[in-house]
Amino acid sequence: MAGRKQFDVDEALRRAMHVFWRWGYSEASIDRLTEGTGLGRGSLYGTFGDKSALFRKSLQRYAQTYHPLYEQALSGPHPSPSAVVAAYLQVALNRIADPTVPDGCLVTVSATQFPALDAEGRAMVRAMIDGLRARLEQALLAAGAGEQEAAELALCTLATNKSLAVLSRAGFSGEDLATVAAAAAKNAKALPNRPAEPSGP
């Protein structure tokens, strides 16, 4: 049929996501994107738009693929805040250990290249990070953390998650990364349960 696409659009997007994931936005050239997807420039632009639009679609695909795994891990019930931290970081460790995907995390590598992204791309990356932080806080509160403790732990756990992604790209072993994750969960046990301070008279 005339005008019908002769390729799998979803598979092409998955491959484009891997190019951005491996190289970062700045180094994901059109040549690398066409090579990675197997599409010509005309098909790439005609299907996904320009590079920025393809990047945003790749971010959406990444979130649709991996964020439900975090949601599942955080849904609990968890016996303690440290168990929440361990469950959350295990999702990152599992993804990093997957030999079929690039090292690290697409959101993390994109955050390191903020100046290269357009305003919409920057907003998407920040919204994804903020969304994970908020969901972590909810799970920590549900596991018995006080409000201040939940806020602090959510931020520190998020930072640990992003550091795991960076270390994996630098070639640190799975054992090293598991040590970092275990230490983060262990440290969570040491924090006192502190109720929120009164906000007013």
Side-chain angles (χ1 to χ4, degrees):
M1 179 182 296
R4 183 174 181 179
K5 289 182 170 56
Q6 300 300 312
F7 58 89
D8 185 331
V9 174
D10 188 64
E11 175 62 14
L13 180 57
R14 185 190 70 82
R15 292 181 180 185
M17 176 185 74
H18 281 201
V19 174
F20 285 117
W21 188 345
R22 182 178 303 280
W23 293 100
Y25 182 85
S26 296
E27 297 300 319
S29 64
I30 295 300
D31 286 342
R32 281 177 171 150
L33 286 165
T34 55
E35 180 181 357
T37 60
L39 302 181
R41 288 178 178 240
S43 295
L44 194 71
Y45 287 128
T47 303
F48 300 110
D50 62 13
K51 178 180 170 180
S52 294
L54 178 55
F55 170 71
R56 293 192 296 271
K57 289 181 174 69
S58 296
L59 273 179
Q60 291 171 343
R61 172 62 184 271
Y62 185 87
Q64 290 166 358
T65 302
Y66 292 102
H67 286 197
L69 302 179
Y70 285 112
E71 178 62 36
Q72 182 179 5
L74 293 175
S75 62
H78 296 288
S80 66
S82 64
V84 173
V85 173
Y88 179 86
L89 294 177
Q90 188 60 50
V91 175
L93 292 175
N94 291 345
R95 186 197 64 243
I96 289 169
D98 183 352
T100 67
V101 300
D103 292 328
C105 162
L106 176 58
V107 176
T108 303
V109 72
S110 300
T112 66
Q113 298 189 354
F114 241 47
L117 307 181
D118 63 15
E120 192 172 353
R122 291 194 299 270
M124 283 185 66
V125 171
R126 183 55 190 263
M128 288 178 181
I129 295 173
D130 288 343
L132 289 172
R133 180 181 181 181
R135 186 62 187 90
L136 265 167
E137 284 194 38
Q138 293 173 2
L140 289 162
L141 287 168
E147 290 188 14
Q148 184 177 348
E149 180 190 18
E152 292 174 356
L153 270 179
L155 183 58
C156 290
T157 303
L158 187 66
T160 302
N161 184 4
K162 299 310 174 189
S163 72
L164 290 173
V166 173
L167 291 175
S168 74
R169 288 176 72 89
F172 281 72
S173 69
E175 183 178 354
D176 286 339
L177 302 180
T179 297
V180 172
K186 181 179 179 180
N187 289 340
K189 295 180 181 179
L191 288 178
N193 223 357
R194 291 171 293 189
E197 297 181 1
S199 57

